[in-house]
Amino acid sequence: MRYYLSRLDLRYTLNKGKTYNDLKESYIIFLCSFKPKVDDLFYSSYHNYCDQDRSKQLHDGATKIIINSQKSAAGQSEDLQALAKLMNNEPVSLNKHFDYAQKRIKEINEDPEMREKIMLYETRMLEREQDAYKQGKIDTAKVILENQMDNGSTLEQATEFVRNLKIISDNDLSKIVDLYK
């Protein structure tokens, strides 16, 4: 979510010559149609808050919303109930927006070239997410290594400590350790 929020701010809300005070409210909406965890809700929204006192919220103008069509939409608005049906590939006849969405979905599904573009896009997005996840693990291992050395461990001791955590491969760890030699 953080990635998409940063892209949104960079591309649409923080234009050249503007300051951070000019940032517009942002909404990141994830439409999920996979099997949820037991405690997932159909609709949930998230905002930043203070870890020590959750009643204190950081009003940064960013709202993150997750809609999970595999949970019951009972009690939700008619639009959200229709969205859940659309996400689950069920017919919807609510208004022109849903009619248009269903028409476009059908057109895309029937066009092999368009389906291939979507599949390639999804594959690239997954690869980016996996690369970011791996880089995050490498960055975490580097911070732990540095903290160990800051607390008096030798490079060898710090390396062994990180290796035992099994956060990253030995090959990636060796690359980090080489930076400190």
Side-chain angles (χ1 to χ4, degrees):
M1 289 188 179
R2 189 170 134 196
Y3 169 79
Y4 293 111
L5 186 60
S6 68
R7 299 290 300 160
L8 182 70
D9 284 341
L10 212 101
R11 191 167 194 181
Y12 299 107
T13 69
L14 195 59
N15 297 320
K16 186 176 180 176
K18 299 291 183 178
T19 69
Y20 290 111
N21 292 328
D22 296 318
L23 283 172
K24 300 172 186 165
E25 284 193 39
S26 301
Y27 295 85
I28 301 296
I29 303 172
F30 278 89
L31 303 176
C32 303
S33 60
F34 48 81
K35 205 71 168 160
K37 295 182 287 187
V38 174
D39 59 343
D40 282 349
L41 303 170
F42 170 77
Y43 175 96
S44 49
S45 61
Y46 298 85
H47 299 87
N48 294 334
Y49 60 86
C50 174
D51 289 337
Q52 291 74 22
D53 181 355
R54 289 184 180 226
S55 69
K56 294 179 182 176
Q57 185 177 327
L58 181 62
H59 298 282
D60 62 356
T63 302
K64 299 120 193 151
I65 297 170
I66 299 174
I67 296 175
N68 195 323
S69 67
Q70 296 300 302
K71 294 298 274 188
S72 171
Q76 300 294 328
S77 70
E78 191 176 21
D79 283 337
L80 283 176
Q81 290 180 23
L83 178 60
K85 286 182 179 180
L86 183 67
M87 290 170 63
N88 291 328
N89 205 24
E90 298 172 26
V92 178
S93 57
L94 181 63
N95 59 41
K96 66 181 181 179
H97 304 293
F98 285 99
D99 292 343
Y100 174 78
Q102 289 174 109
K103 179 181 169 209
R104 285 295 294 143
I105 290 168
K106 185 174 189 238
E107 289 170 359
I108 290 168
N109 283 338
E110 291 174 353
D111 182 348
E113 191 175 308
M114 184 60 85
R115 285 185 59 80
E116 184 177 347
K117 280 183 184 178
I118 290 171
M119 295 301 288
L120 286 172
Y121 177 77
E122 289 176 350
T123 300
R124 278 191 236 113
M125 289 295 292
L126 180 59
E127 288 170 352
R128 283 185 194 156
E129 288 174 17
Q130 289 170 341
D131 289 347
Y133 179 71
K134 180 180 179 184
Q135 187 58 51
K137 289 171 60 172
I138 290 170
D139 292 345
T140 299
K142 185 176 178 184
V143 168
I144 293 170
L145 184 80
E146 289 173 356
N147 285 339
Q148 287 295 308
M149 290 189 301
D150 287 346
N151 289 321
S153 294
T154 64
L155 178 58
E156 292 74 25
Q157 291 168 328
T159 302
E160 192 58 31
F161 182 83
V162 173
R163 180 176 286 115
N164 289 335
L165 293 174
K166 299 183 190 242
I167 298 171
I168 58 175
S169 69
D170 285 345
N171 185 39
D172 288 334
L173 181 56
S174 293
K175 290 176 187 175
I176 293 173
V177 170
D178 287 344
L179 298 172
Y180 296 93
K181 289 185 176 180

